[in-house]
Amino acid sequence: MEKLSQKNAPIYEALQKHKSNRVVPFDVPGHKGGRGTPELTAFLGEDCLKIDVNSMKPLDNLIHPISVIAEAEQLAADAFKAKSAFFMVNGTTSAVQAMIMTACKAGDKIILPRNVHRSAINALVVCGAIPIYVNPGVDRDLGIPLGMSVSDIKNTILKNPEAKAILVNNPTYYGICSNLSEIVNLAHSYNMLVLVDEAHGTHFYFGENMPIAAMSAGADMAAVSMHKTGGSLTQSSILLVSGSISGSYVRQIINLTQTTSGSYLLLSSLDLARKNLVVNGKEIFKKTMDFACYAREEINKIGGYHAFAKDIINGDTIFDFDLTKMSIHTRDIGLAGIEVYDILRDEYGIQIEFGDLGNILAIISAGDRSFEIERLIGALSEIKRLYKKDKAGMLDHEYINPEVVMPPQKAFYSNKEQIPIHASQGKICGEFVMSYPPGIPILAPGERITNEILEYIDYAKAKGCSLTGAQDLKIEKINIVEEN
């Protein structure tokens, strides 16, 4: 195999060659390069449809790569300083699930924070592993869950020395980082793997003056959302593997759930995005950082908002902070984050990433333009002037410590009964309820439904949060575990 450099993009190059060969397609997909779907072709473009092809020998196969996909994955592994890299086309959801299912079998324990993405708890439902939750720190001023305390993790390890792995969110959606290096050292001293949900941390590998990346910290596996801050297409992701984990076994686990029809649009976007990050990453993320720091400074000058950053670092549950994250606390102007989110979109034509009950998150990237940053700052200033009100009676926190009664898999597959949600206090939840984004469950299967949780759900509904996960789309009823 010819030695490739980081300036190569093997999948992209193979697709270009395939196009130039003008091969007559008697295989799927049935749109035949877009000729069978003229409206779709006009919408997406002929070039796009012509590379939406099926796996074939010259283009390799994602489930068993031996040529151009294997080359692209090795280049990605080298770029991220990992032993192996796997291209994922089912999103970072599938990467998180592959990590957990690699580390744990049915009945195995895994230590993790409760403010994980639903994909992690979904993995527990599928594989039957048992969660041992470490409650994250909570900042009552900001109302958000933080990272995990090293001392809390150590105490949990001592109580559960048979646990197979520790899962860490790093960074959180808000940009908060745990003491990842210390957590890795601690876990490895007890022969536990460290799995990192690094969905929001692609830039840690390529920017300067960033929090430590999972592979640099010695983690065993990391799920990286290239599409979030790395520039690839939505739904494309990379799973990184290091240490003693068998890459061939990881591939087998991935193939349990990932499609056998890998999209070459997604695969080529990962290939080109990796090349771009290696070649231009420092410049890209310097520009991102400059935009974010300028916006943060100007928003804090408005008053009433708190665009938080390294000022909240405490050396433990907030060990570091990702300065590219534009997280803004809104409760002091009397508005929930979701209310500001809606006003920005409906009144100002600005779409931010999410709003929760006390904060908003605007994703900043080098793809932004100065006048758009100014437009966001100006809109927030005007929203304060027009909509500010007394904050009395507002909910002051995002995270509720769960009472876990039974494993998620047992609860999810148990006999269930659907009852009015307001009659469910004290019952065991048999499904998920979450606000999306960010997709962190308010309730997960196997957890006790409390009055505090029901009040939180009512409040989130009233403020306009998009609640998902339950069988009843209106979240007026909920599935509970039938009691014997």
Side-chain angles (χ1 to χ4, degrees), residues 141-414:
D141 292 331
L142 299 175
I144 59 174
L146 308 175
M148 291 188 290
S149 164
V150 173
S151 61
D152 285 347
I153 292 174
K154 184 169 186 178
N155 289 336
T156 305
I157 288 174
L158 292 174
K159 293 176 183 175
N160 301 274
E162 71 279 20
K164 300 296 184 182
I166 298 174
L167 176 69
V168 185
N169 296 329
N170 203 75
T172 69
Y173 226 131
Y174 302 95
I176 290 164
C177 300
S178 298
N179 188 347
L180 192 55
S181 295
E182 186 62 27
I183 291 170
V184 169
N185 291 337
L186 178 62
H188 286 174
S189 71
Y190 287 89
N191 296 313
M192 295 180 188
L193 299 175
V194 177
L195 320 176
V196 182
D197 182 344
E198 207 169 25
H200 294 270
T202 304
H203 48 294
F204 289 4
Y205 292 89
F206 302 99
E208 294 182 305
N209 302 314
M210 298 283 178
I212 193 167
M215 292 294 102
S216 298
D220 299 282
M221 303 181 78
V224 180
S225 280
M226 280 285 277
H227 69 92
K228 286 186 168 68
T229 61
S232 65
L233 291 178
T234 295
Q235 200 177 308
S236 60
S237 179
I238 293 180
L239 175 60
L240 303 174
V241 176
S242 194
S244 60
I245 295 174
S246 164
S248 57
Y249 179 67
V250 173
R251 178 82 67 190
Q252 286 185 311
I253 295 294
I254 291 170
N255 286 342
L256 291 175
T257 56
Q258 180 155 259
T259 179
T260 56
S261 304
S263 165
Y264 280 90
L265 296 173
L266 300 181
L267 293 172
S268 59
S269 81
L270 286 169
D271 200 17
L272 287 169
R274 181 270 314 153
K275 175 185 174 182
N276 185 45
L277 290 177
V278 173
V279 175
N280 303 308
K282 288 183 180 179
E283 177 185 343
I284 288 170
F285 295 120
K286 182 184 185 304
K287 185 177 180 183
T288 302
M289 185 86 77
D290 289 345
F291 273 154
C293 290
Y294 169 77
R296 186 178 295 111
E297 184 178 342
E298 293 301 308
I299 290 167
N300 283 332
K301 287 178 183 176
I302 296 169
Y305 298 106
H306 180 194
F308 50 93
K310 288 185 180 273
D311 55 299
I312 65 172
I313 287 176
N314 61 21
D316 188 19
T317 52
I318 312 171
F319 184 76
D320 204 348
F321 188 85
D322 174 11
L323 288 173
T324 70
K325 289 288 186 296
M326 183 50 56
S327 299
I328 306 165
H329 186 61
T330 65
R331 199 172 58 239
D332 287 342
I333 63 168
L335 295 176
I338 187 64
E339 293 174 309
V340 176
Y341 170 98
D342 286 339
I343 295 168
L344 281 169
R345 183 192 61 247
D346 296 341
E347 302 296 329
Y348 295 91
I350 295 173
Q351 181 64 57
I352 57 172
E353 176 68 6
F354 80 85
D356 59 28
L357 298 186
N359 304 272
I360 58 174
L361 173 65
I363 296 294
I364 306 294
S365 84
D368 290 314
R369 294 170 288 186
S370 296
F371 76 88
E372 292 168 332
I373 300 291
E374 296 293 351
R375 186 172 163 186
L376 173 63
I377 296 165
L380 289 173
S381 178
E382 200 165 287
I383 288 170
K384 177 196 170 186
R385 180 174 62 82
L386 295 175
Y387 295 96
K388 182 180 179 182
K389 57 187 177 183
D390 194 308
K391 68 175 182 177
M394 296 186 72
L395 198 67
D396 69 352
H397 61 282
E398 284 291 322
Y399 177 75
I400 299 171
N401 291 344
E403 180 188 346
V404 180
V405 182
M406 64 174 61
Q409 185 184 65
K410 182 179 179 181
F412 188 84
Y413 288 113
S414 67

Side-chain angles (χ1 to χ4, degrees), residues 95-117:
V96 169
Q97 291 170 350
M99 289 197 301
I100 292 173
M101 292 165 66
T102 296
C104 299
K105 299 178 178 65
D108 287 343
K109 290 182 178 180
I110 180 171
I111 297 169
L112 68 168
R114 176 54 179 75
N115 61 321
V116 288
H117 188 265

Side-chain angles (χ1 to χ4, degrees), residues 10-39:
I11 298 172
Y12 162 76
E13 291 160 14
L15 286 167
Q16 291 284 64
K17 183 177 180 181
H18 172 74
K19 278 175 60 180
S20 68
N21 287 341
R22 302 180 68 182
V23 173
V24 178
F26 284 104
D27 61 349
V28 296
H31 61 66
K32 304 291 177 147
R35 295 194 302 271
T37 52
E39 189 174 9

Side-chain angles (χ1 to χ4, degrees), residues 93 96 115-122 169 197 436 438-441:
T93 287
V96 169
N115 61 321
V116 288
H117 188 265
R118 70 168 293 172
S119 57
I121 302 178
N122 283 348
N169 296 329
D197 182 344
Y436 187 84
I440 297 167

